[in-house]
Amino acid sequence: MRLLKSTVGALIAALLSGCVGLPEGLSAVKNFEAERYLGQWYEIARLDHRFERGLSQVTADYSRRDDGGIAVRNRGYDRAAGEWKEAQGRAYFLDGADVGRLKVSFFGPFYASYNIIALDADYRHALVTGPDRDYLWILAREPVLPAETLRQLVAEAESMGFATDELIYVEQDGATR
C-alpha cells in the first residue's frame, strides 16, 4: 500500500510539474526586470487554444501583488457573443525574479508555466510559451507591430521549433472598449 501511495504521489507530482515546464532546448530570458515588464501588453499572434478561441482585442495586464507575485488580467472580445471575456490570475517566479519564468494560475491551486523566451531590450515585444511548443504568444506594447519586427519574431519562433504556420493573428480593433 505504501508503494502504491508513493507511486501515485510521484505520478501526480510529475504531471503537475510538467505543467510548469519549459520546452526542451529553450531557456527563459535572463536579467529579467519585472518592473519593466509590468503594464499592458497586446496579443499580436498566438497558437490556437480553446480558452482564447474566437477572441479579438486580447490584452494582458500585469501588476504587482502584495505577496510579491504578479497579478494577471487577460481580456478579449468575443464577437460571436458580443461581450468581453476576462480572466484574472496570479503568477510567481520559478527561478528567481531575474529570470523570465513564472508559474501562473487562473484556477485555484493549478499552475501552468509562463516562459518569456525572447524580449527586446526596451521591453516593447516578447515571445512567450507555456510548458511545450503547443503554446506561443507574440506580445507587444502597441496593438500593431511594424511588419518587419513581426516577421523577425515569427522567424525567431520558427527557428525555435514552433508551428508558426498555425499562428492566429489577433485583430486589435473593432469593438469599443
Side-chain angles (χ1 to χ4, degrees):
M1 186 61 133
R2 216 180 305 176
L3 179 60
L4 178 61
K5 286 182 180 178
S6 296
T7 303
V8 170
L11 181 59
I12 291 171
L15 288 172
L16 291 177
S17 67
C19 293
V20 294
L22 182 66
E24 186 176 334
L26 299 183
S27 60
V29 298
K30 309 279 190 285
N31 301 315
F32 180 73
E33 298 176 44
E35 294 305 317
R36 293 182 67 196
Y37 197 80
L38 299 179
Q40 185 173 66
W41 289 84
Y42 293 88
E43 189 178 89
I44 304 301
R46 67 173 179 259
L47 290 177
D48 189 31
H49 285 284
R50 65 175 173 75
F51 53 86
E52 285 187 284
R53 192 160 292 139
L55 296 183
S56 62
Q57 299 183 31
V58 179
T59 58
D61 290 287
Y62 305 105
S63 60
R64 277 283 182 201
R65 290 175 48 93
D66 291 338
D67 65 3
I70 306 288
V72 180
R73 179 176 160 248
N74 291 342
R75 188 168 192 247
Y77 188 71
D78 183 336
R79 290 186 199 278
E83 64 186 18
W84 289 96
K85 305 278 182 158
E86 185 173 301
Q88 300 216 18
R90 60 193 187 281
Y92 299 95
F93 290 98
L94 287 168
D95 298 332
D98 64 338
V99 179
R101 186 161 142 60
L102 299 97
K103 62 180 184 177
V104 63
S105 176
F106 292 96
F107 312 105
F110 303 102
Y111 285 88
S113 60
Y114 182 97
N115 301 300
I116 304 162
I117 54 174
L119 180 64
D120 79 308
D122 294 325
Y123 286 63
R124 304 300 302 161
H125 47 78
L127 291 177
V128 176
T129 188
D132 57 44
R133 286 178 173 79
D134 291 337
Y135 298 89
L136 177 67
W137 293 270
I138 298 176
L139 304 179
R141 293 295 190 171
E142 302 295 326
V144 177
L145 276 173
E148 181 58 21
T149 301
L150 180 56
R151 188 197 65 71
Q152 289 172 357
L153 287 168
V154 171
E156 185 172 2
E158 183 176 18
S159 75
M160 294 177 181
F162 290 93
T164 57
D165 57 326
E166 297 177 17
L167 282 171
I168 295 169
Y169 293 88
V170 180
E171 293 179 37
Q172 285 291 349
D173 58 6
T176 305
R177 287 193 166 240

